[in-house]
Amino acid sequence: MGTKVCWCAVTSSPLLRVSNISLSYRTQAGDLTAVDDVSFVVDAGEALGLVGESGAGKSSLALTLMRLLPRNATLHGGTVEFDGVDSASYDDNAFRREVRWQNIAMVFQGAMEALNPVVKVGSQVMEPLRAHRRISRREAASEAHRYLELVRLPSEVFQRYPHELSGGMRQRVLIAMSLVLQPKLLILDEPTSALDVTIQAQIMDQLKDLKEQLGLAIIFITHDIALASDICDTIGVMYAGRLAELGPAVRILNKPEHPYTQLLLASVPRLHQEEQPKFIPGSPPDMTGTLTGCRFQPRCPYAFQRCLVEEPPLIAAGPYHRVRCWLVEDR
Ligand code: SF4
């Protein structure tokens, strides 16, 4: 687990500052709120984990940062500042040329299957270099080899087709492809969910190495809070489009304050523990409807009258630690 702590109140010029982002999707059932007033910062070299169930808004946030939201999405407000520059100051072409992949790269969920099956791995890793840098084929090949080596793949992988590689190797190829343009921030959306536990551990070790070696900032999106704690300095727990809890990973793990975070941690299976992991009863609210009170209230074992009618703000629970729960205020 990391030890570095980053927080908007003490970080005057973070690498990434996300402020009050809200967005929804038009669906046949009506407008669906995906992200609701979310703010956080990520410092250079820091790893932030965004944790929560499917539909919590994690991937939508990532797509917002990459400016790759689908057409039925509407951004209702908020700003994204990268390296001190407001993302809105770039038009689409300038953002594609100067920011996306060059400064902020992403490994998409399920992307292992998206590698082109009829193009050799080396050519696919060279592709971003050829598209964005004015370098020769030879120089691009040399860079591609360097990055394949960095993700600990043998050099012969360069000449292989994706179907000749295991799932873990394909995921490494994708990580290499995302890094060749030397971005400062890498977003990983459920990067290990399709892999078995042993390969998952290897990829996590490797990501930790890359973070240290390259001084890479990471946003690590996962439903698995234990996995996030393995690499992240800071964890943001998302529920129903909002941050439920945000703080240093070490504190979230050892002293979770939000009942949802507590249940997420209790649902993690542990070795040498006789007690069965707990499951979280119920399901997240319908995000096409009007939400009243605390969004977690129908599933919360500690809900009381106020939770039915008033939604809590993020309340300070300790140094750099905020929690969206009335219990924290009432303590
Ligand atoms: Fe539970 Fe109330 Fe806290 Fe919401 S505000 S998490 S319902 S105790």
Side-chain angles (χ1 to χ4, degrees):
M1 183 193 311
T3 51
K4 189 163 174 270
V5 171
C6 176
W7 185 253
C8 46
V10 293
T11 307
S12 56
S13 54
L15 180 68
L16 175 76
R17 184 186 294 279
V18 171
S19 308
N20 312 108
I21 290 290
S22 296
L23 74 96
S24 65
Y25 295 109
R26 277 185 313 284
T27 70
Q28 286 186 338
D31 279 357
L32 181 148
T33 303
V35 178
D36 195 354
D37 198 20
V38 170
S39 303
F40 57 81
V41 296
V42 181
D43 217 343
E46 185 199 14
L48 166 75
L50 289 178
V51 180
E53 291 160 293
S54 295
K58 311 177 302 289
S59 300
S60 295
L61 263 173
L63 294 176
T64 306
L65 301 183
M66 294 291 284
R67 280 178 52 172
L68 287 174
L69 283 166
R71 282 182 174 194
N72 66 337
T74 306
L75 205 50
H76 297 286
T79 55
V80 175
E81 263 178 53
F82 187 80
D83 244 353
V85 180
D86 186 342
S87 183
S89 66
Y90 296 94
D91 64 24
D92 284 348
N93 281 336
F95 189 84
R96 192 176 59 235
R97 248 187 354 258
E98 294 171 36
V99 184
R100 189 189 306 142
W101 304 120
Q102 311 254 19
N103 275 313
I104 308 177
M106 180 165 172
V107 175
F108 294 90
Q109 189 171 7
M112 276 189 291
E113 305 313 320
L115 284 167
N116 190 330
V118 295
V119 177
K120 286 182 180 172
V121 164
S123 298
Q124 297 195 56
V125 180
M126 285 162 61
E127 208 172 286
L129 288 160
R130 298 282 284 163
H132 289 271
R133 302 257 198 273
R134 289 173 185 276
I135 59 174
S136 67
R137 200 176 161 76
R138 194 179 176 156
E139 285 170 313
S142 153
E143 275 298 276
H145 271 294
R146 194 163 78 81
Y147 277 89
L148 288 173
E149 194 181 323
L150 193 70
V151 296
R152 299 185 208 150
L153 283 168
S155 61
E156 59 264 28
V157 164
F158 191 91
Q159 292 294 350
R160 296 267 173 85
Y161 289 97
H163 73 268
E164 297 178 282
L165 308 182
S166 67
M169 289 169 104
R170 289 205 297 274
Q171 190 61 296
R172 285 191 178 134
V173 169
L174 285 163
I175 294 170
M177 280 172 78
S178 68
L179 292 177
V180 285
L181 297 177
Q182 302 175 354
K184 294 176 182 169
L185 172 67
L186 178 63
I187 303 170
L188 298 148
D189 192 355
E190 300 279 6
T192 60
S193 57
L195 304 172
D196 71 42
V197 178
T198 319
I199 306 297
Q200 188 178 69
Q202 288 172 9
I203 299 267
M204 291 307 291
D205 271 354
Q206 191 156 28
L207 287 171
K208 281 186 267 184
D209 281 357
L210 289 170
K211 176 174 176 269
E212 292 303 318
Q213 278 178 47
L214 306 176
L216 194 63
I218 289 176
I219 294 181
F220 189 86
I221 294 173
T222 179
H223 62 278
D224 184 340
I225 193 165
L227 200 64
S229 67
D230 193 31
I231 188 170
C232 295
D233 306 294
T234 305
I235 288 182
V237 177
M238 289 194 68
Y239 188 77
R242 280 197 182 273
L243 277 169
E245 184 160 8
L246 178 65
V250 69
R251 188 162 165 111
I252 299 270
L253 217 62
N254 295 316
K255 203 171 180 305
E257 296 280 1
H258 197 286
Y260 178 56
T261 314
Q262 291 165 1
L263 286 168
L264 273 181
L265 280 162
S267 71
V268 175
R270 286 173 209 280
L271 277 178
H272 315 302
Q273 182 179 291
E274 283 181 15
E275 218 179 299
Q276 290 291 315
K278 294 198 171 68
F279 74 99
I280 306 176
S283 48
D286 173 8
M287 298 300 283
T288 57
T290 307
L291 301 165
T292 310
C294 173
R295 293 177 185 193
F296 191 58
Q297 169 268 319
R299 305 171 79 184
C300 180
Y302 308 112
F304 55 104
Q305 187 56 33
R306 189 180 189 183
C307 313
L308 292 170
V309 289
E310 250 185 293
E311 186 179 21
L314 278 173
I315 301 167
Y320 321 125
H321 185 189
R322 293 195 183 185
V323 185
R324 193 181 296 282
C325 176
W326 291 124
L327 293 173
V328 174
E329 187 195 60
D330 292 346
R331 246 187 352 221

